[in-house]
Amino acid sequence: MDASASEERQALRPGRNQQLVYDAMLKSGRPMRAYELLKLLHADGIRSPLQVYRVLDKLVREGKARKIETLHAFAICGKPSNGGGQVAVTICTQCGQTDAIEDAELKRQLAKLSRGSGFLAETATVELAGLCLGCQEVEA
Ligand SMILES: [Zn+2]
């Protein structure tokens, strides 16, 4: 076993990849698509879409990131998710900032709506696109 082989293993450690992806997303401050991350982190040793998706999945499971379905992108969560409590995500079309809105009443309504049509929903997320407070001030 030589030093370069152990360096190689070090570079493939999932914890390191997770940190790289998380830092890149945090730095960008907007939702990012998997291929963007792949392109950005290629030089750091992230070479396959699978590596990126694996890390993104983990970040979502741990409540550190969320998937923005309508953008096919992922964003860092500003505050730790309490595990499925989030029902609406706001997406600023100007600066790309995303935020989560938790509302028990909306959650109940969505559940009622799907039950009423005989559908068993596993997840329910409403995505609202528009302008964040900061961008509204700039527009005004
Ligand atoms: Zn904005």
Side-chain angles (χ1 to χ4, degrees):
M1 195 186 296
D2 61 16
S4 71
S6 95
E7 258 171 50
E8 184 84 355
R9 262 195 304 279
Q10 199 77 355
L12 294 172
R13 237 181 24 191
R16 178 184 173 272
N17 289 352
Q18 186 170 337
Q19 198 59 52
L20 284 169
V21 168
Y22 186 83
D23 289 347
M25 290 172 77
L26 203 63
K27 205 174 148 197
S28 94
R30 56 176 182 79
M32 290 184 84
R33 294 181 179 202
Y35 80 87
E36 277 183 273
L37 287 160
L38 188 62
K39 215 167 122 186
L40 195 69
L41 299 171
H42 190 265
D44 293 303
I46 296 187
R47 300 277 157 88
S48 78
L50 189 67
Q51 279 176 300
V52 176
Y53 280 115
R54 205 179 283 151
V55 169
L56 288 169
D57 267 358
K58 193 155 186 279
L59 288 172
V60 170
R61 275 202 313 275
E62 291 176 357
K64 291 176 184 160
R66 70 174 70 96
K67 189 172 185 196
I68 312 292
E69 303 281 353
T70 48
L71 300 178
H72 306 290
F74 293 83
I76 292 296
C77 292
K79 47 191 179 240
S81 156
N82 61 7
Q86 143 209 335
V87 285
V89 176
T90 58
I91 308 155
C92 179
T93 51
Q94 200 87 271
C95 70
Q97 184 188 303
T98 69
D99 219 335
I101 298 170
E102 292 179 21
D103 186 289
E105 183 54 34
L106 179 57
K107 200 174 183 175
R108 267 196 299 278
Q109 286 298 326
L110 287 171
K112 206 173 124 189
L113 207 68
S114 68
R115 268 200 313 274
S117 61
F119 186 79
L120 179 66
E122 288 173 348
T123 60
T125 302
V126 176
E127 295 183 357
L128 306 167
L131 292 177
C132 74
L133 272 175
C135 291
Q136 286 173 48
E137 277 165 23
V138 174
E139 291 273 303

